[in-house]
Amino acid sequence: METVVWSKPEHERDGTPLLVMMHGYGTDESRMVSLFDGLPSAFSCAALRGPKVIGDHYGWFLLDYFLTHDFADVVSSTNTVFNWIESVKDRHSSVSLLGYSQGMAMASTLLRLRPDQFRATVGLSGFVLENELLAMSESFETRPPFFWGRDKDDLVINGAATEHTEQWLHEHTQLTARTYPGMGHRISREELVDVSAFLRHYVLRPVTAGLG
């Protein structure tokens, strides 16, 4: 990854749980950086910049309103993120994912391809890709914990994509689903409180219990 912004300086990251954060389409890592203060301080949060140039901003793969995508584009970005995670994961106690909008598509794709590598996944106002090749690659031995937050009246994510996302998450994950009326296509303070509680429960609590 060419651009990564961290919530902690390098000398404070060893042994901490890593939260890999991916922004939406047509924005950049600053959208995720703005969430750092609302997340549990025990995490080392890493806000990644998508590799695809979208006008003056960035994304993970080209997309239209119907969420049509080029699978080669998806695979390229996914491999870029996997390679970056491989380069840093040994310093951390665990790796979890958080994606907003198109970033949720990325987070869920990473999870689908290597479910045993991630402690927990958070998807906000986004979707899960509907793709036959990706579905054929899935091999879930257990249901990984997944938080899905959204506004049911979010007009950015079309109805068909939302229906597929809901079906896939219920089928494959240990799902915590929350809705936030009036939030629109964004992340609310109330939602971030729920995300933090989810991460504490599924990531921090087992570590604390292990220390007795």
Side-chain angles (χ1 to χ4, degrees):
M1 303 303 303
E2 293 186 6
T3 302
V4 180
V5 179
W6 290 88
S7 63
K8 294 181 184 295
E10 186 171 359
H11 68 276
E12 295 181 8
R13 298 176 203 158
D14 285 347
T16 60
L18 172 63
L19 182 63
V20 180
M21 303 175 68
M22 288 163 282
H23 61 77
Y25 189 77
T27 180
D28 60 30
E29 72 284 354
S30 64
R31 183 68 185 87
M32 298 292 94
V33 172
S34 68
L35 306 181
F36 284 174
D37 289 343
L39 295 168
S41 60
F43 284 87
S44 289
C45 300
L48 312 186
R49 176 183 291 179
K52 180 74 68 175
V53 176
I54 310 293
D56 294 331
H57 297 285
Y58 301 89
W60 301 96
F61 47 89
L62 293 179
L63 205 60
D64 62 18
Y65 170 76
F66 298 102
L67 306 183
T68 304
H69 57 276
D70 183 285
F71 191 57
D73 243 4
V74 176
V75 169
S76 177
S77 287
T78 301
N79 286 337
T80 297
V81 177
F82 272 138
N83 290 339
W84 180 82
I85 291 173
E86 285 293 325
S87 73
V88 300
K89 70 176 185 178
D90 288 346
R91 296 186 60 180
H92 297 278
S93 58
S94 65
V95 181
S96 297
L97 304 168
L98 184 152
Y100 164 69
S101 194
Q102 190 188 49
M104 178 177 167
M106 281 295 297
S108 55
T109 298
L110 292 163
L111 178 67
R112 294 166 83 173
L113 293 174
R114 300 184 189 178
D116 59 328
Q117 292 196 8
F118 304 110
R119 182 72 61 85
T121 305
V122 175
L124 306 176
S125 299
F127 60 99
V128 172
L129 290 174
E130 187 169 3
N131 185 283
E132 290 186 10
L133 292 176
L134 193 55
M136 290 171 60
S137 303
E138 294 171 353
S139 57
F140 290 93
E141 295 183 1
T142 60
R143 292 175 178 264
F146 199 110
F147 180 96
W148 183 32
R150 64 189 178 101
D151 179 355
K152 289 183 178 179
D153 295 324
D154 182 351
L155 299 178
V156 174
I157 308 301
N158 68 67
T162 297
E163 183 177 342
H164 168 75
T165 296
E166 185 168 18
Q167 179 180 351
W168 187 90
L169 289 173
H170 277 292
E171 182 177 347
H172 294 286
T173 72
Q174 184 177 348
L175 179 62
T176 300
R178 297 288 183 268
T179 57
Y180 305 89
M183 181 177 69
H185 192 68
R186 60 186 185 90
I187 301 168
S188 71
R189 184 179 299 274
E190 178 187 3
E191 184 178 33
L192 210 55
V193 170
D194 290 343
V195 169
S196 295
F198 170 85
L199 290 171
R200 288 189 183 97
H201 179 79
Y202 285 106
V203 181
L204 301 184
R205 192 179 69 164
V207 174
T208 302
L211 295 176

